[in-house]
Amino acid sequence: MTTDDTDTPVDPSKLEENLAQIEALSQRLVSALSHQRQVAPSLQGPSPELYAKAASAYWQEMMSNPSKIFEQQVSYWGKTLKHYIDSQQQLAHGKLQPPADESGTDPRFSSPLWQSNPYFNYIKQQYLFSSQAIGNAVQGLEGMEPDDKKRLEYFSKQIVDLMAPTNFLATNPEALERAVETDGQSLVDGLENLVKDLEDHQGDFVVNLADKKAFQVGGNIGTTEGEVVYRNRMFELIQYAPATDEQYKTPLIIFPPWINKFYILDLKPQNSLIKWITEQGYTLFVVSWVNPDAGYADVGMEDYIEEGYLTALEQVKEITGEKKVNVIGYCIAGTTLALTLSLLKQRGDKSVKSATFFTTLTDFSDRGEVGVFLTDDFVDGIEAEVTEKGYLDSFYMSRTFSFLRSNDLIYRPAIRSYMMGESPPAFDLLFWNGDSTNLPARMSVEYLRHLCQNDELARGEIELCGTRLALADVEVPVCAIACETDHIAAWKSSYRGVQQMGSADKTFILSESGHIAGIVNPPSKKKYGHYTNEDMQAAPEAWQEAATFNEGSWWPRWEEWLRPRSGKKVPARQPGDSTHPSLAKAPGTYVVEIK
């Protein structure tokens, strides 16, 4: 890999020893793979119908506009042939260096060897030429429905990314160089990491993104002081200890998504939104959802509303003696919060004073990148899976979200762990990312069919709890925070949903970054900024174009919005009361249950 003659020579005995270890590890590998779950083809990729449509469109274009196809092919052939000739000429003139490289920057090819080594540079450039040709061919296809075209582009890119030379040992110079430097020890360590990951996940290929031994929920993450003051089959209610002598009169409840665990909002003290809210003087309650198993098969959206949201509201009112509360809903919990607010309006219940939505979709007319997984071929597969098992295993949701950022969450970590032999980092956010939850069977299907696919909430057609619910019924003051590069809840769709709410008091904040980093963005980091614009009548693009960009976190701006809606100051409240004794210390028991 290098021309440095002073490099330490390979130790044959050490190399032989490592090769023997690889053989032993290979037996463990085979054993681990024998336990791999059988995943239905419908959950492995899009149905063959998508590729049939693509082939039909391609051949139709070939017949009707052959010059376009030939032009694309000739362009690709010309680039690859010219690059081959340039490379040969360099060698013919005795130059062990690659020809001019105008491929630009790509994080996958950050090693200097991709630039300086003729062999690896040739592989890289040819791969990028091919990637561009495939991308151009797919983008240029006509005669396909927009949704089908979008899915074809996405899954084609997944295949192209999978085939990157960085993902294979023989064509990854960094991995080969490390193997030589360590006499093969890096490959032994990498195989050990691979086998361990397979054993940890019952034979499923899931890369451990973080060192699991580095964190303990309630030990060094999720440590903000509080008490579980109520518990039912759906959730534990945590009331956090006051951090100030006085607190605002109106309590605040956070409803986190039950797709993940709530402690994303309470990682380390320095980036904990929960801790920061208590320090601003609020009486804070957080719902910690149960991690369901097959016993929750019949639990649906109505149960989350009645036994979750409405019960939590009543318990908080009882504990604090207040008639009104402020609420926050994050992601799917924000979607369900909108349903709950509509139901409360229909019932004449004025328990909620204001509502905040974090990265929430209520208008699913444009489902963003995640929409490629929300068509019938996948949803039919999910419905069949949950009908058989009684719940949707966390494996499927985790894998789906990982593929939205496959280079960052699958291939790059796999390269570091399996080829380079590196241990997973002690990174709290990635630890949380791997600590996923299951979803009840009925709820999964209802959410996917009625909300994601049929967009029934935005259309005012969804019926839950015996009532037809609609966004127009959300009339309380609303503040919504969306994230600019969110792969899960596209900000423009979030904005359109807020536009349709019936509230006369709406605030929309667009944070930089994505679904998690844009929300978990403490002021002390001075990292991501945010956009504001009081005009909610404009289209999303026009709203952003006319918006003011503000440096730093949105947290203080949101707190300024919440403060006048939180009443006067009262003496700080301690968790619970005589009828709500402490059932456990925060973060509670549900968040650490393994199912």
Side-chain angles (χ1 to χ4, degrees):
M1 286 327 101
T2 178
T3 58
D4 190 347
D5 294 332
T6 63
D7 284 350
T8 303
V10 173
D11 182 347
S13 61
K14 179 66 173 175
L15 185 59
E16 185 176 345
E17 179 184 335
N18 283 330
L19 290 173
Q21 289 187 54
I22 289 176
E23 184 176 349
L25 283 168
S26 298
Q27 295 177 1
R28 280 178 59 195
L29 176 66
V30 172
S31 176
L33 288 172
S34 68
H35 300 290
Q36 189 175 33
R37 80 181 72 207
Q38 297 300 311
V39 178
S42 57
L43 296 175
Q44 295 279 36
S47 68
E49 182 183 3
L50 176 66
Y51 298 112
K53 289 178 180 178
S56 175
Y58 186 83
W59 283 109
Q60 184 176 353
E61 196 156 306
M62 171 87 70
M63 299 299 293
S64 63
N65 191 8
S67 61
K68 179 181 176 180
I69 304 295
F70 290 143
E71 183 180 351
Q72 290 175 341
Q73 290 297 314
V74 169
S75 174
Y76 169 63
W77 294 339
K79 288 179 181 178
T80 55
L81 183 59
K82 181 179 183 302
H83 182 231
Y84 173 78
I85 293 172
D86 289 345
S87 299
Q88 290 299 313
Q89 287 181 339
Q90 291 286 96
L91 293 174
H93 289 84
K95 296 180 180 179
L96 291 177
Q97 60 187 43
D101 184 351
E102 299 178 358
S103 58
T105 59
D106 187 318
R108 294 173 297 181
F109 304 106
S110 58
S111 169
L113 287 168
W114 289 110
Q115 300 299 119
S116 61
N117 185 289
Y119 169 72
F120 291 113
N121 182 267
Y122 183 81
I123 290 173
K124 181 195 80 167
Q125 290 208 55
Q126 290 293 328
Y127 166 75
L128 292 175
F129 290 148
S130 299
S131 301
Q132 185 182 43
I134 293 171
N136 290 341
V138 172
Q139 290 174 11
L141 272 182
E142 298 178 4
M144 293 186 73
E145 293 294 325
D147 286 347
D148 289 334
K149 177 83 170 292
K150 185 176 181 179
R151 298 187 81 214
L152 182 66
E153 290 175 351
Y154 172 82
F155 289 110
S156 297
K157 187 176 186 303
Q158 287 294 321
I159 295 171
V160 169
D161 287 346
L162 172 65
M163 300 307 296
T166 47
N167 294 338
F168 302 91
L169 178 62
T171 51
N172 187 316
E174 288 180 282
L176 291 171
E177 190 174 46
R178 177 71 64 88
V180 172
E181 290 172 349
T182 62
D183 297 314
Q185 185 63 50
S186 61
L187 298 181
V188 174
D189 294 341
L191 185 55
E192 177 72 47
N193 290 341
L194 172 60
V195 171
K196 187 175 185 305
D197 285 356
L198 288 169
E199 291 173 341
D200 283 351
H201 299 96
Q202 293 75 52
D204 292 322
F205 177 70
V206 178
V207 186
N208 280 325
L209 299 178
D211 180 1
K212 293 186 175 181
K213 296 179 181 179
F215 301 101
Q216 180 184 1
V217 180
N220 56 356
I221 54 176
T223 59
T224 300
E225 185 181 353
E227 308 286 341
V228 175
V229 294
Y230 176 82
R231 179 188 295 129
N232 66 11
R233 69 166 184 153
M234 297 297 295
F235 71 95
E236 290 183 329
L237 182 66
I238 302 171
Q239 182 178 0
Y240 284 89
T244 54
D245 293 334
E246 292 184 319
Q247 294 178 315
Y248 291 101
K249 194 170 185 288
T250 306
L252 176 64
I253 311 176
I254 296 179
F255 293 97
W258 51 89
I259 290 176
N260 298 104
K261 296 184 179 180
F262 83 91
Y263 67 87
I264 185 59
L265 300 175
D266 188 33
L267 293 172
K268 293 176 291 191
Q270 55 266 39
N271 62 358
S272 168
L273 178 59
I274 286 173
K275 184 174 186 294
W276 185 84
I277 288 173
T278 64
E279 291 172 343
Q280 310 314 304
Y282 293 89
T283 303
L284 179 63
F285 294 82
V286 174
V287 165
S288 174
W289 300 103
V290 72
N291 186 5
D293 54 21
Y296 285 76
D298 291 330
V299 167
M301 296 295 293
E302 291 181 337
D303 299 293
Y304 275 90
I305 292 173
E306 295 279 10
E307 296 184 50
Y309 288 73
L310 299 185
T311 299
L313 287 171
E314 288 306 310
Q315 295 304 316
V316 170
K317 289 193 297 181
E318 284 184 21
I319 292 170
T320 62
E322 296 298 319
K323 294 181 179 180
K324 289 178 176 285
V325 302
N326 292 316
V327 293
I328 298 173
Y330 192 168
C331 190
I332 186 176
T335 308
T336 312
L337 175 59
L339 293 166
T340 304
L341 291 172
S342 176
L343 180 63
L344 290 174
K345 169 69 184 334
Q346 298 286 346
R347 292 180 175 179
D349 188 325
K350 299 182 179 180
S351 296
V352 174
K353 195 172 184 179
S354 76
T356 299
F357 296 92
F358 293 169
T359 62
T360 294
L361 290 182
T362 52
D363 181 333
F364 290 83
S365 57
D366 180 358
R367 298 172 299 225
E369 293 181 51
V370 76
V372 299
F373 295 104
L374 295 174
T375 48
D376 277 338
D377 49 0
F378 278 110
V379 177
D380 288 349
I382 289 173
E383 186 167 8
E385 173 75 14
V386 300
T387 299
E388 177 183 351
K389 297 285 182 64
Y391 66 98
L392 182 63
D393 193 292
S394 61
F395 165 78
Y396 294 104
M397 294 300 294
S398 179
R399 186 175 68 165
T400 298
F401 291 144
S402 293
F403 271 108
L404 292 175
R405 295 176 55 201
S406 55
N407 283 323
D408 293 331
L409 296 178
I410 300 177
Y411 304 132
R412 211 164 289 150
I415 290 167
R416 287 197 301 266
S417 185
Y418 307 151
M419 292 190 198
M420 308 295 286
E422 298 176 5
S423 299
F427 189 3
D428 55 356
L429 193 150
L430 291 179
F431 173 85
W432 167 85
N433 188 74
D435 190 14
S436 301
T437 58
N438 304 324
L439 299 176
R442 181 181 168 194
M443 172 265 143
S444 301
V445 175
E446 287 177 344
Y447 178 73
L448 292 172
R449 295 294 191 198
H450 297 298
L451 292 164
C452 296
Q453 287 194 309
N454 298 337
D455 198 20
E456 291 179 14
L457 174 56
R459 293 161 60 179
E461 298 175 357
I462 192 165
E463 292 192 14
L464 293 169
C465 306
T467 307
R468 178 167 288 200
L469 307 176
L471 287 176
D473 293 331
V474 180
E475 295 182 348
V476 300
V478 166
C479 181
I481 295 91
C483 298
E484 192 173 17
T485 58
D486 196 328
H487 295 269
I488 298 170
W491 80 264
K492 294 177 183 178
S493 297
S494 178
Y495 175 87
R496 293 188 189 99
V498 176
Q499 280 186 312
Q500 296 173 60
M501 292 179 181
S503 174
D505 181 355
K506 301 177 189 175
T507 297
F508 189 83
I509 299 172
L510 179 62
S511 174
E512 290 185 305
S513 195
H515 194 72
I516 300 300
I519 297 298
V520 184
N521 181 27
S524 59
K525 292 288 184 70
K526 298 180 180 178
K527 195 169 185 181
Y528 301 117
H530 58 281
Y531 298 88
T532 54
N533 181 352
E534 294 182 2
D535 180 11
M536 289 287 296
Q537 301 301 313
E541 297 81 2
W543 181 94
Q544 185 178 25
E545 186 177 349
T548 300
F549 178 75
N550 307 273
E551 297 286 349
S553 172
W554 56 267
W555 291 10
R557 184 176 301 278
W558 165 73
E559 195 274 326
E560 288 179 8
W561 176 88
L562 182 65
R563 193 186 311 150
R565 296 167 175 83
S566 300
K568 64 181 182 179
K569 290 285 189 73
V570 297
R573 300 177 174 112
Q574 297 302 318
D577 63 10
S578 60
T579 60
H580 294 81
S582 174
L583 304 178
K585 295 287 185 182
T589 61
Y590 281 0
V591 75
V592 294
E593 286 183 344
I594 299 174
K595 294 183 179 180

